[in-house]
Amino acid sequence: PIGFILYEAFRRTTTSAATRDPVTQQFVKHTTTSFSGSNISQSLKGIYLTSLWTSVKLSMIVAVLGAVLGMMLAAAVVNSSSTALRQIITSAAAVTANFGGIPLAFLFIATLDANSGIATTFLQDHFHLSVQDDLHLQLPELSGLSLVYLYFLVPLMVLVMTPALEGLKPQWGEAAENLGASRLSYWRLVAAPVLLPSFLGALLLLFCSSFSAFATAYAINSSFPLVTIRIDAVLSGNVLSGQENLGAALALDMIVIVLPLTVIY
């Protein structure tokens, strides 16, 4: 697939003006194929560059928030003495981490839509609280999409970090305490270095998951400047003549961003 994307990203098809065939007397168009960096250059201009940057910014925001919130929830689950509670949280995380696309978009539209959302109407009628004006939460904008993405990223973080937290041996905490370390010192000098690789790996996983998400954002706001939505527009034929392979160039831009993160991981 990467080879195919590389080939299409640098391929450019040019169609000449129609000429009359001397035999059939019909007008025909001739196409020529060349290879250049024009598609890549076009993908880094205008709305395409804006969409790429917006996707990166959104992914960074939700990755950091999802990692922190998910880490806290995973720590609470691991340290809980209730087995039933741990099973409930783990099962719920497994379901919601794989819940996305059109159903997730419908869930949030029905709940937080500016005009007819259940939660929006309830807060306005009972507390005179506007989701848009008072909470500055607009579902089709960056703030709303961040909340939607966190719905499946936080559970994903819980699933990834729970085994790592369970790998912390109680003997380490007891040894640190016997040596005079406080609880904060234990987490800073013992637990944190052990958990850091898993945490950073999960952070990169959350970034890549949100960076490649498409269906949920498209269902909420099909005109929002995300690179995945731009690729869909290109594949739907919404481009100028000679830019048919612009979608492959945008996909290559995404690979260039994700590949270093994969190497780091």
Side-chain angles (χ1 to χ4, degrees):
I2 295 179
F4 174 79
I5 290 175
L6 283 170
Y7 175 80
E8 292 295 330
F10 290 97
R11 185 172 68 90
R12 188 177 183 88
T13 302
T14 305
T15 304
S16 62
T19 57
R20 185 184 296 273
D21 188 282
V23 178
T24 62
Q25 297 299 314
Q26 294 180 349
F27 285 96
V28 294
K29 294 182 178 181
H30 300 279
T31 60
T32 57
T33 299
S34 60
F35 293 90
S36 67
S38 58
N39 291 326
I40 304 297
S41 176
Q42 187 65 31
S43 70
L44 298 176
K45 295 180 181 178
I47 183 61
Y48 302 112
L49 180 60
T50 302
S51 300
L52 188 63
W53 165 241
T54 304
S55 294
V56 172
K57 181 169 65 173
L58 173 63
S59 301
M60 291 176 60
I61 292 173
V62 296
V64 173
L65 290 177
V68 173
L69 295 176
M71 184 70 175
M72 295 171 61
L73 182 57
V77 169
V78 171
N79 294 323
S80 174
S81 58
S82 174
T83 304
L85 179 62
R86 294 180 61 178
Q87 292 178 346
I88 291 174
I89 296 297
T90 303
S91 300
V95 173
T96 51
N98 294 282
F99 184 64
I102 304 299
L104 179 60
F106 174 77
L107 184 150
F108 273 90
I109 291 174
T111 306
L112 293 174
D113 182 72
N115 299 319
S116 58
I118 297 175
T120 304
T121 305
F122 178 82
L123 292 174
Q124 184 66 44
D125 294 343
H126 293 80
F127 299 98
H128 302 288
L129 186 65
S130 173
V131 173
Q132 287 189 337
D133 299 332
D134 298 325
L135 301 181
H136 303 288
L137 179 64
Q138 300 185 38
L139 195 58
E141 302 298 330
L142 184 65
S143 58
L145 288 178
S146 298
L147 179 63
V148 175
Y149 279 34
L150 287 175
Y151 187 86
F152 61 85
L153 291 180
V154 171
L156 179 60
M157 185 68 179
V158 172
L159 294 178
V160 173
M161 289 305 301
T162 297
L165 288 167
E166 290 177 341
L168 292 177
K169 297 181 180 180
Q171 294 87 341
W172 296 347
E174 296 169 358
E177 184 178 358
N178 291 335
L179 293 173
S182 63
R183 192 64 180 172
L184 179 61
S185 298
Y186 163 72
W187 278 99
R188 183 171 62 88
L189 299 175
V190 180
V194 173
L195 294 174
L196 186 60
S198 298
F199 180 83
L200 293 180
L203 182 66
L204 298 179
L205 176 64
L206 264 58
F207 177 90
C208 294
S209 298
S210 57
F211 189 58
S212 60
F214 162 71
T216 302
Y218 183 84
I220 293 176
N221 184 359
S222 60
S223 61
F224 192 76
L226 289 180
V227 65
T228 50
I229 295 180
R230 289 297 99 205
I231 292 177
D232 173 75
V234 171
L235 295 180
S236 301
N238 187 20
V239 290
L240 300 175
S241 176
Q243 296 182 1
E244 293 80 5
N245 294 329
L246 188 56
L250 291 171
L252 183 59
D253 294 338
M254 295 182 67
I255 292 176
V256 169
I257 293 176
V258 171
L259 190 59
L261 301 181
T262 307
V263 173
I264 294 174
Y265 176 79

